[in-house]
Amino acid sequence: MLAKRIIPCLDVKDGQTVKGTNFVDLRQAGDPVELGKAYSEMGADELVYLDITASHEGRKTFTELVGRVAANINIPFTVGGGINELKDVERMLSAGADKVSINSAALRRPELVDEIASRFGSQVCVVAIDAKFMEGTWKCYVNGGRIETERKLFEWAKEVNDRGAGEILFTSMNHDGVKTGYANDALAELADILSIPVIASGGAGTKEHFRDAFIEGKADAALAASVFHFGEIQIPELKLYLKNEGINIRI
């Protein structure tokens, strides 16, 4: 069985790492390169860098930052935000990223998933899904959680799985930043219907929340931001705890 992964997420705005609650009320959390380097040295399995206003403002991800990250860390990292076409993917990979995350662009033009998978390989294509549970159903959102779409979480996730995505990064907007645990029921349902890995995102507040995402939510990886950025949970301690709970994790 593959080891479960711990993935710090760095939301980048104007060259700084920021973190909010329910996708708003952002506060600064430090330099993204230095933070990434520290997480790499602490034993994080991967990193995710998201240019959180790129899609909303209609500009491209900050390529120069990606190059600096690649020069300073020795673990895989994914870059997202403002990736709309193959040349954006090529630019990110050339700058040193291992994978790209697409969200708004995939919902607007699903064929982009097929194109990335066939050109660069499925392992490069992470489809991020920001969804909110409303009136008994999970609705997908675009533009950093600003705009609701008609697409539903489970059917959209299944479609991108079938189109060749390498993994799904599912963020529950209801749980984002509130530190009450991941959306484990939805995660478990995704794990049951998909043939690709699922990354849990939104809701980490304690070590137990990570354990529950892996056991109850059947997630392949757990992503978190503020609990790492503000020192509430240390990655080495988290990994030791998870190992003691019987979870297959790299120490």
Side-chain angles (χ1 to χ4, degrees):
M1 189 176 71
L2 287 175
K4 303 294 189 181
R5 291 170 286 151
I6 299 297
I7 306 177
C9 179
L10 297 93
D11 291 340
V12 178
K13 182 176 190 288
D14 303 326
Q16 282 293 308
T17 311
V18 295
K19 186 65 194 110
T21 303
N22 302 124
F23 283 47
V24 293
D25 299 329
L26 301 177
R27 58 179 174 147
Q28 289 206 354
D31 176 77
V33 179
E34 290 305 313
L35 268 177
K37 190 175 176 186
Y39 291 143
S40 176
E41 290 165 356
M42 282 179 203
D45 297 294
E46 296 182 20
L47 298 173
V48 170
Y49 282 87
L50 298 176
D51 187 336
I52 59 168
T53 54
S55 292
H56 178 59
E57 295 170 5
R59 59 181 168 71
K60 304 301 185 188
T61 307
F62 196 24
T63 314
E64 184 264 342
L65 174 67
V66 174
R68 287 195 290 127
V69 170
N72 280 278
I73 71 168
N74 56 8
I75 56 174
F77 71 100
T78 300
V79 177
I83 293 171
N84 299 303
E85 53 193 342
L86 288 180
K87 69 179 183 184
D88 297 329
V89 179
E90 198 155 349
R91 193 172 70 250
M92 292 297 104
L93 297 179
S94 296
D98 298 275
K99 310 175 194 178
V100 296
S101 169
I102 56 172
N103 185 341
S104 304
L107 276 159
R108 294 197 176 102
R109 196 172 71 82
E111 298 77 22
L112 182 60
V113 178
D114 309 63
E115 292 167 6
I116 294 171
S118 66
R119 173 82 174 272
F120 303 103
S122 289
Q123 78 284 352
V124 163
C125 184
V126 178
V127 175
I129 304 176
D130 297 333
K132 185 185 285 187
F133 191 72
M134 302 162 57
E135 297 168 357
T137 190
W138 285 95
K139 285 273 191 82
C140 299
Y141 279 67
V142 294
N143 286 37
R146 293 175 179 84
I147 302 171
E148 181 185 328
T149 74
E150 288 305 307
R151 299 305 300 260
K152 307 288 191 350
L153 169 63
F154 300 112
E155 55 99 8
W156 173 235
K158 185 73 173 72
E159 179 177 333
V160 298
N161 182 132
D162 296 344
R163 284 181 177 274
E167 52 192 335
I168 298 284
L169 167 54
F170 162 54
T171 301
S172 164
M173 294 172 62
N174 307 74
H175 295 73
D176 177 67
V178 296
K179 301 181 183 177
T180 54
Y182 293 92
N184 292 322
D185 291 346
L187 283 166
E189 190 166 341
L190 285 170
D192 288 342
I193 64 171
L194 303 178
S195 61
I196 57 176
V198 178
I199 304 168
S201 169
T206 68
K207 295 195 253 295
E208 290 78 13
H209 292 155
F210 288 87
R211 176 199 64 198
D212 294 345
F214 292 134
I215 295 174
E216 296 171 23
K218 307 180 191 175
D220 298 276
L223 177 146
S226 56
V227 291
F228 296 143
H229 299 340
F230 302 116
E232 294 160 40
I233 295 177
Q234 299 295 329
I235 291 171
E237 290 171 22
L238 171 61
K239 288 192 150 192
L240 196 57
Y241 165 79
L242 293 170
K243 192 170 186 68
N244 290 335
E245 291 288 314
I247 290 162
N248 182 19
I249 197 106
R250 291 187 198 90
I251 296 291

